[in-house]
Amino acid sequence: MCTYLTEKVSVDGSGKGARGWFPLTHATVYVDHPQHAPQEHTLNIDFINPEQGPGARVAVELTEESALALVRAIQDALAAAPPGLASADPAK
Amino acid sequence: MNDTMTAGTVTITSGNGDPIEAYLARPVDRTGFGGIVVIHHMPGYDEATKQMVRDFAVHGYAALCPNLYSRQAPGASPDDAAAAVRAAGGVADDQLIADVEGAVRHLKSLDGANGKVGVIGHCSGGRQAFLAACSMRLDAAVDCYGAFVVNEPPATMPATMKPVLGLAPRLSCPLLGLFGAEDSYPAPQETAQLAAELDALGKEHEFHTYDGAGHAFFAVDRPSYRPQAAVDGWRRIFDFFGRHLSA
């Protein structure tokens, strides 16, 4: 199905797309048909900067298992580092 | 047999006056051909859809696919454009109607056109094909597994995806519906309800639901592809357009 369901969050960081590195402002997260992955549906994440146009996008299409493993890996990596080390405001 | 055709990108004028990009394929050295508006699916104005446009031209039709994302993402690759439009909530019904109106007008203006025009869409385009056929004068419409024609989508979906069953009294042409028995959006129960409504209204329609097929069974580049359903579906599409788009 075409879900149209989209979670959108503000993000602060950089991504490398087809035209090189660019600052990221948002990420959209949704479950829908992939463009490339050989699955009916995938968990898709677009890291984007709408001000720089539709091409300012880093896209991933993951199986549900991969997406959940990624969530755990992100949490584990952050937990293993000193608190606040990668924060936008390390003094906090 | 003369199956020579030409294909490429053109600019057409939408029904609301906007210039938009579109992909046109048409027979060469032939006259009296019908026109087909191809509504691309949500993943965009992509290679698979353009191939479908060319296939119709090989079979003697002029086919035109308006890029529904040309305003929001001009010049972007189809997948980037689809992501941007998706994040913005999708294509509004009013815009879809205007873009199909522009495409119909363009097809009718071609030298050699017989003045008859049909529409076809898959997935989100299936709902939009029905919407178009209820919003303007057409000669044939094909809805390939369009969801949310009858049922309300989940509440979290954008307001652009509202059921359009209430428009059925205004259906202007015969409707061919091709669905998968294992599809959930639309589920067989939903398409049966649409058929019952069209029966009650005396609207000409022909629905086929394929066992062993789910959503997107025509998509040759996806695991949902079901050759038996797709081959039979294509046969029915050409038969349907042949009956309704001939001069």
Side-chain angles (χ1 to χ4, degrees):
Chain A
M1 68 176 287
C2 304
T3 65
Y4 275 95
L5 298 171
T6 304
E7 302 289 334
K8 189 172 184 179
V9 292
S10 294
V11 298
D12 186 5
S14 290
K16 191 174 182 182
R19 294 174 301 190
W21 286 96
F22 62 96
L24 300 173
T25 60
H26 296 85
T28 57
V29 184
Y30 49 97
V31 175
D32 213 329
H33 304 302
Q35 290 278 354
H36 183 269
Q39 304 284 332
E40 272 311 295
H41 296 88
T42 47
L43 183 285
N44 307 319
I45 308 173
D46 293 330
F47 296 99
I48 57 177
N49 184 333
E51 284 188 8
Q52 293 196 7
R57 182 172 79 108
V58 180
V60 294
E61 300 174 335
L62 304 172
T63 62
E64 189 169 316
E65 294 80 1
S66 302
L68 291 171
L70 178 64
V71 169
R72 287 192 294 272
I74 290 172
Q75 290 174 331
D76 289 349
L78 288 171
L85 188 65
S87 170
D89 182 7
K92 215 164 39 178
Chain B
M1 179 182 181
N2 180 1
D3 57 2
T4 309
M5 62 95 183
T6 181
T9 302
V10 297
T11 299
I12 67 170
T13 303
S14 171
N16 66 9
D18 292 343
I20 58 169
E21 181 183 31
Y23 188 73
L24 172 69
R26 53 168 297 175
V28 173
D29 296 332
R30 291 178 63 167
T31 59
F33 50 79
I36 297 170
V37 179
V38 178
I39 301 175
H40 65 71
H41 57 168
M42 201 168 102
Y45 175 75
D46 58 7
E47 284 304 316
T49 306
K50 290 179 176 179
Q51 179 61 51
M52 202 181 307
V53 171
R54 292 191 292 271
D55 286 344
F56 283 124
V58 169
H59 283 79
Y61 298 94
L64 183 60
C65 176
N67 180 356
L68 303 177
Y69 305 156
S70 19
R71 294 172 186 78
Q72 296 93 333
S77 65
D79 58 336
D80 287 343
V85 172
R86 178 206 172 80
V91 172
D93 285 350
D94 286 351
Q95 183 207 304
L96 181 279
I97 293 166
D99 289 357
V100 174
E101 282 173 345
V104 169
R105 192 180 310 133
H106 191 89
L107 286 167
K108 288 186 175 181
S109 75
L110 296 174
D111 283 343
N114 68 10
K116 296 198 172 182
V117 177
V119 64
I120 184 171
H122 299 69
C123 193
S124 55
R127 173 184 173 277
Q128 291 168 328
F130 181 80
L131 171 67
C134 295
S135 305
M136 67 195 77
R137 188 78 219 159
L138 291 172
D139 298 291
V142 181
D143 165 8
C144 299
Y145 35 80
F148 313 128
V149 171
V150 173
N151 291 347
E152 284 278 350
T156 43
M157 283 203 176
T160 48
M161 296 292 285
K162 289 297 177 197
V164 285
L165 182 63
L167 301 178
R170 289 157 46 190
L171 180 64
S172 66
C173 60
L175 176 69
L176 172 65
L178 300 171
F179 309 107
E182 295 173 7
D183 199 345
S184 301
Y185 298 95
Q189 185 184 13
E190 181 174 359
T191 60
Q193 194 178 336
L194 176 58
E197 178 71 7
L198 296 176
D199 280 337
L201 293 167
K203 297 289 185 181
E204 184 178 345
H205 63 285
E206 178 186 331
F207 284 9
H208 301 277
T209 300
Y210 293 98
D211 289 334
H215 197 70
F217 62 79
F218 278 110
V220 295
D221 56 350
R222 292 174 184 268
S224 54
Y225 182 53
R226 294 294 178 272
Q228 287 182 320
V231 168
D232 187 72
W234 273 114
R235 180 184 65 78
R236 292 186 187 279
I237 289 167
F238 284 117
D239 174 71
F240 182 75
F241 281 146
R243 280 184 278 129
H244 297 292
L245 301 182
S246 300

